[in-house]
PDB file of all heavy atoms in Angstrom:
ATOM      1  N   ASP A 181     -20.164  10.469   7.471  1.00 94.00           N
ATOM      2  CA  ASP A 181     -21.356  11.265   7.798  1.00 94.00           C
ATOM      3  C   ASP A 181     -21.719  11.170   9.275  1.00 94.00           C
ATOM      4  O   ASP A 181     -22.189  12.138   9.873  1.00 94.00           O
ATOM      5  CB  ASP A 181     -22.550  10.823   6.944  1.00 94.00           C
ATOM      6  CG  ASP A 181     -22.397  11.202   5.481  1.00 94.00           C
ATOM      7  OD1 ASP A 181     -21.526  12.048   5.158  1.00 94.00           O
ATOM      8  OD2 ASP A 181     -23.148  10.642   4.649  1.00 94.00           O
ATOM      9  N   ALA A 182     -21.494  10.009   9.876  1.00 96.00           N
ATOM     10  CA  ALA A 182     -21.814   9.800  11.287  1.00 96.00           C
ATOM     11  C   ALA A 182     -20.744  10.363  12.221  1.00 96.00           C
ATOM     12  O   ALA A 182     -20.918  10.370  13.435  1.00 96.00           O
ATOM     13  CB  ALA A 182     -22.008   8.310  11.563  1.00 96.00           C
ATOM     14  N   GLY A 183     -19.622  10.812  11.656  1.00 93.00           N
ATOM     15  CA  GLY A 183     -18.542  11.355  12.479  1.00 93.00           C
ATOM     16  C   GLY A 183     -17.636  10.295  13.077  1.00 93.00           C
ATOM     17  O   GLY A 183     -16.771  10.601  13.891  1.00 93.00           O
ATOM     18  N   ALA A 184     -17.813   9.039  12.668  1.00 95.00           N
ATOM     19  CA  ALA A 184     -16.978   7.953  13.198  1.00 95.00           C
ATOM     20  C   ALA A 184     -15.592   7.958  12.567  1.00 95.00           C
ATOM     21  O   ALA A 184     -14.646   7.432  13.140  1.00 95.00           O
ATOM     22  CB  ALA A 184     -17.649   6.600  12.957  1.00 95.00           C
ATOM     23  N   ILE A 185     -15.478   8.544  11.385  1.00 89.00           N
ATOM     24  CA  ILE A 185     -14.192   8.672  10.682  1.00 89.00           C
ATOM     25  C   ILE A 185     -14.041  10.131  10.291  1.00 89.00           C
ATOM     26  O   ILE A 185     -14.992  10.758   9.815  1.00 89.00           O
ATOM     27  CB  ILE A 185     -14.160   7.778   9.423  1.00 89.00           C
ATOM     28  CG1 ILE A 185     -14.213   6.305   9.822  1.00 89.00           C
ATOM     29  CG2 ILE A 185     -12.922   8.072   8.589  1.00 89.00           C
ATOM     30  CD1 ILE A 185     -14.241   5.352   8.653  1.00 89.00           C
ATOM     31  N   ARG A 186     -12.864  10.641  10.507  1.00 84.00           N
ATOM     32  CA  ARG A 186     -12.629  12.039  10.138  1.00 84.00           C
ATOM     33  C   ARG A 186     -11.391  12.139   9.241  1.00 84.00           C
ATOM     34  O   ARG A 186     -10.528  11.262   9.251  1.00 84.00           O
ATOM     35  CB  ARG A 186     -12.473  12.919  11.367  1.00 84.00           C
ATOM     36  CG  ARG A 186     -11.304  12.568  12.235  1.00 84.00           C
ATOM     37  CD  ARG A 186     -11.207  13.483  13.455  1.00 84.00           C
ATOM     38  NE  ARG A 186     -10.166  13.049  14.343  1.00 84.00           N
ATOM     39  CZ  ARG A 186      -8.874  13.297  14.184  1.00 84.00           C
ATOM     40  NH1 ARG A 186      -8.457  13.986  13.157  1.00 84.00           N
ATOM     41  NH2 ARG A 186      -7.984  12.861  15.049  1.00 84.00           N
ATOM     42  N   SER A 187     -11.316  13.216   8.528  1.00 82.00           N
ATOM     43  CA  SER A 187     -10.203  13.456   7.616  1.00 82.00           C
ATOM     44  C   SER A 187      -8.907  13.675   8.396  1.00 82.00           C
ATOM     45  O   SER A 187      -8.923  14.212   9.503  1.00 82.00           O
ATOM     46  CB  SER A 187     -10.500  14.697   6.766  1.00 82.00           C
ATOM     47  OG  SER A 187      -9.369  15.069   6.022  1.00 82.00           O
ATOM     48  N   ILE A 188      -7.795  13.281   7.785  1.00 82.00           N
ATOM     49  CA  ILE A 188      -6.501  13.559   8.398  1.00 82.00           C
ATOM     50  C   ILE A 188      -5.815  14.746   7.710  1.00 82.00           C
ATOM     51  O   ILE A 188      -4.626  14.965   7.873  1.00 82.00           O
ATOM     52  CB  ILE A 188      -5.583  12.315   8.390  1.00 82.00           C
ATOM     53  CG1 ILE A 188      -5.344  11.811   6.975  1.00 82.00           C
ATOM     54  CG2 ILE A 188      -6.157  11.234   9.269  1.00 82.00           C
ATOM     55  CD1 ILE A 188      -4.266  10.756   6.877  1.00 82.00           C
ATOM     56  N   LEU A 189      -6.626  15.522   6.966  1.00 82.00           N
ATOM     57  CA  LEU A 189      -6.102  16.726   6.323  1.00 82.00           C
ATOM     58  C   LEU A 189      -5.628  17.694   7.401  1.00 82.00           C
ATOM     59  O   LEU A 189      -6.368  18.024   8.317  1.00 82.00           O
ATOM     60  CB  LEU A 189      -7.196  17.396   5.477  1.00 82.00           C
ATOM     61  CG  LEU A 189      -6.815  18.691   4.777  1.00 82.00           C
ATOM     62  CD1 LEU A 189      -5.775  18.421   3.697  1.00 82.00           C
ATOM     63  CD2 LEU A 189      -8.039  19.339   4.172  1.00 82.00           C
ATOM     64  N   THR A 190      -4.367  18.093   7.320  1.00 86.00           N
ATOM     65  CA  THR A 190      -3.810  19.011   8.317  1.00 86.00           C
ATOM     66  C   THR A 190      -3.397  20.350   7.730  1.00 86.00           C
ATOM     67  O   THR A 190      -3.202  21.297   8.468  1.00 86.00           O
ATOM     68  CB  THR A 190      -2.580  18.378   9.016  1.00 86.00           C
ATOM     69  OG1 THR A 190      -1.632  17.979   8.027  1.00 86.00           O
ATOM     70  CG2 THR A 190      -2.983  17.178   9.851  1.00 86.00           C
ATOM     71  N   GLN A 191      -3.243  20.401   6.394  1.00 87.00           N
ATOM     72  CA  GLN A 191      -2.788  21.646   5.783  1.00 87.00           C
ATOM     73  C   GLN A 191      -3.463  21.886   4.442  1.00 87.00           C
ATOM     74  O   GLN A 191      -3.647  20.965   3.661  1.00 87.00           O
ATOM     75  CB  GLN A 191      -1.282  21.611   5.534  1.00 87.00           C
ATOM     76  CG  GLN A 191      -0.447  21.532   6.777  1.00 87.00           C
ATOM     77  CD  GLN A 191       1.029  21.495   6.424  1.00 87.00           C
ATOM     78  OE1 GLN A 191       1.494  22.263   5.596  1.00 87.00           O
ATOM     79  NE2 GLN A 191       1.755  20.599   7.053  1.00 87.00           N
ATOM     80  N   GLN A 192      -3.788  23.156   4.192  1.00 88.00           N
ATOM     81  CA  GLN A 192      -4.213  23.592   2.872  1.00 88.00           C
ATOM     82  C   GLN A 192      -2.972  24.238   2.252  1.00 88.00           C
ATOM     83  O   GLN A 192      -2.496  25.249   2.742  1.00 88.00           O
ATOM     84  CB  GLN A 192      -5.354  24.620   2.964  1.00 88.00           C
ATOM     85  CG  GLN A 192      -6.624  24.070   3.565  1.00 88.00           C
ATOM     86  CD  GLN A 192      -7.371  23.167   2.592  1.00 88.00           C
ATOM     87  OE1 GLN A 192      -7.105  23.125   1.401  1.00 88.00           O
ATOM     88  NE2 GLN A 192      -8.310  22.416   3.133  1.00 88.00           N
ATOM     89  N   GLY A 193      -2.440  23.622   1.195  1.00 87.00           N
ATOM     90  CA  GLY A 193      -1.181  24.075   0.623  1.00 87.00           C
ATOM     91  C   GLY A 193      -1.297  25.192  -0.397  1.00 87.00           C
ATOM     92  O   GLY A 193      -0.307  25.606  -0.971  1.00 87.00           O
ATOM     93  N   GLY A 194      -2.516  25.678  -0.639  1.00 87.00           N
ATOM     94  CA  GLY A 194      -2.702  26.752  -1.604  1.00 87.00           C
ATOM     95  C   GLY A 194      -3.028  26.216  -2.982  1.00 87.00           C
ATOM     96  O   GLY A 194      -3.289  25.029  -3.177  1.00 87.00           O
TER      97      GLY A 194
END
Side-chain angles (χ1 to χ4, degrees):
D181 290 345
I185 294 178
R186 62 180 174 80
S187 171
I188 59 170
L189 178 67
T190 55
Q191 296 180 46
Q192 296 285 346

